[in-house]
Amino acid sequence: MDFINAVMILFGMFAVTFGVRFVLFASAHKVVMPAFFERALKFVPVAVLTSIIMPMILMPNEVLDVSFTNYWLIGGMAAFLVGILWQKQLLTIGVGIFVFFLAKYLFSL
Amino acid sequence: MSTYKDMKIGAIASIPMIVGGVPFGLLFGSLASSYDLSPWFAVAMSAFVFAGSAQFVALGLIALDAPLWVIVSTTFIVNLRHLLYAADLVKFVKHLPFSVRLWMGFGLIDETYAAVRPLYGTGEANEKTGHFVYLGSFLSFYLMWNLTTLIGVAFGELIPEMSEWGMEFAMVATFIGIITPYLKHVSFWACMVSAGGSAILLVDLPNNLGLLVSAVIGVLVGYFCDASRQADTSLQVSENREV
């Protein structure tokens, strides 16, 4: 890959990435979101974050692994339970990580 | 409250995801150098593009000698989900100067959205302070991503099997910690289950499209579930009135 090619790749990737992120912000002062759209947008955090982590939890080795030796699943379930019961973010993260590494360690014995 | 304090709030909310991101940055840097790309290329990509998963996909395409337009259009598709974040954040940034929205757009990554968006809900970020909280999160991730890329490029081969350690789980746990407080209405449960199920079913779609499609499915299912619930309540209200 020569220099020109490298610069073009970098510039192209920058342009589309920044474009997608900025296009709505650029006109944010005059954009009026319809009410139904705002009602739909409140589901964005749960929808996207769940979509990102589900394959990590259930397919840590690229195949579906719903078993008790899948420590990603064990850690995820622990975090989820703690999160549902107490809704304290730091506690959720702490317990989840602890259970994950404990399970990982135990299964490696 | 001072600017510094607000930035600190954003940075602190980002800590677990920063820990989770470290192996990705190192991996990206060392992968780039193992493909024999010039060291500055990976470093420049992290500095100018600043998009985790799209950078990995681009590396793979470059290794395959894919043409420029394929690399750029794939990057576009992989990052399309950020449009959803921007749409959700518009109401919090519309009063800010253009220059502020400019760098906020540059820094709109999954993690900063995940860290800062809930803070608008709790009031820790608001119209006056939100962009400083955002800046604190953005700068921490930017620093981490560029530093780990640099370390990965320089010493990647000295840190073997780092991706096996499982530090990425910190990100998973954080996302769960963000999701669970929302689960107070059946519509959010429906959103989560449908998005999660679709993400597994569609995992083999190319270019992270499965992620994008399942996110949209989750939003739609949540919205219609919400809408029918509201219709139910208004029906009950009108019935009660008749009685």
Side-chain angles (χ1 to χ4, degrees):
Chain A
M1 185 170 48
D2 58 30
F3 182 76
I4 302 290
N5 209 345
V7 170
M8 275 166 61
I9 289 176
L10 286 178
F11 180 77
M13 287 182 69
F14 161 78
V16 291
T17 303
F18 179 68
V20 164
R21 291 173 181 172
F22 184 59
V23 64
L24 288 176
F25 282 5
S27 49
H29 53 293
K30 45 191 176 192
V31 161
V32 182
M33 294 279 180
F36 78 91
F37 205 61
E38 275 303 331
R39 281 216 308 278
L41 287 174
K42 70 180 184 202
F43 294 99
V44 168
V46 173
V48 182
L49 300 183
T50 306
S51 302
I52 292 175
I53 61 174
M54 276 305 267
M56 295 175 79
I57 293 174
L58 286 176
M59 316 171 86
N61 300 307
E62 322 231 316
V63 283
L64 197 61
D65 179 5
V66 189
S67 72
F68 280 102
T69 52
N70 176 358
Y71 39 82
W72 288 82
L73 180 60
I74 303 294
M77 287 198 323
F80 188 73
L81 274 178
V82 172
I84 290 292
L85 289 176
W86 287 287
Q87 300 183 352
K88 291 200 170 68
Q89 205 197 1
L90 276 182
L91 189 71
T92 307
I93 297 169
V95 172
I97 291 177
F98 176 76
V99 171
F100 171 84
F101 282 107
L102 184 70
K104 189 172 190 278
Y105 172 71
L106 289 177
F107 295 140
S108 71
L109 291 179
Chain B
M1 240 205 283
S2 71
T3 304
Y4 172 73
K5 264 191 183 159
D6 291 322
M7 286 177 64
K8 210 167 120 185
I9 292 174
I12 289 175
S14 308
I15 289 174
M17 287 182 277
I18 289 174
V19 172
V22 165
F24 287 113
L26 293 172
L27 191 64
F28 175 74
S30 59
L31 212 57
S33 61
S34 76
Y35 285 165
D36 279 336
L37 296 169
S38 85
W40 70 265
F41 183 73
V43 173
M45 199 191 278
S46 285
F48 292 114
V49 183
F50 189 45
S53 44
Q55 290 182 218
F56 277 98
V57 175
L59 270 196
L61 291 173
I62 291 166
L64 294 172
D65 269 327
L68 177 66
W69 70 270
V70 172
I71 298 171
V72 172
S73 53
T74 305
T75 304
F76 174 74
I77 294 167
V78 171
N79 286 328
L80 215 46
R81 66 182 181 284
H82 296 143
L83 211 52
L84 288 173
Y85 304 156
D88 189 29
L89 291 177
V90 158
K91 53 185 169 290
F92 302 122
V93 308
K94 53 174 24 154
H95 64 292
L96 295 168
F98 189 80
S99 56
V100 173
R101 284 181 266 140
L102 205 67
W103 59 252
M104 285 181 87
F106 179 75
L108 185 56
I109 55 173
D110 295 314
E111 289 87 348
T112 288
Y113 174 75
V116 176
R117 178 61 183 87
L119 298 178
Y120 279 107
T122 61
E124 283 170 279
N126 56 45
E127 279 200 355
K128 281 203 191 90
T129 68
H131 53 298
F132 293 123
V133 176
Y134 189 103
L135 184 64
S137 168
F138 159 42
L139 287 183
S140 335
F141 281 112
Y142 193 71
L143 191 69
M144 176 278 285
W145 188 242
N146 284 281
L147 215 56
T148 51
T149 301
L150 206 62
I151 297 172
V153 167
F155 309 109
E157 270 127 61
L158 302 178
I159 350 177
E161 290 169 27
M162 175 133 187
S163 55
E164 313 265 297
W165 295 0
M167 278 166 77
E168 302 92 328
F169 188 82
M171 185 132 45
V172 173
T174 310
F175 283 9
I176 294 174
I178 291 168
I179 293 166
T180 43
Y182 281 96
L183 301 174
K184 287 178 182 137
H185 303 289
V186 68
S187 50
F188 283 99
W189 283 90
C191 165
M192 178 185 74
V193 171
S194 58
S198 319
I200 294 296
L201 289 175
L202 303 175
V203 76
D204 288 327
L205 289 189
N207 303 333
N208 282 24
L209 265 177
L211 166 54
L212 182 67
V213 173
S214 51
V216 171
I217 290 175
V219 169
L220 289 177
V221 168
Y223 173 75
F224 285 113
C225 195
D226 198 24
S228 65
R229 197 171 53 93
Q230 276 173 357
D232 277 354
T233 353
S234 57
L235 204 66
Q236 280 167 5
V237 170
S238 60
E239 277 171 358
N240 289 345
R241 273 193 200 134
E242 278 166 24
V243 174

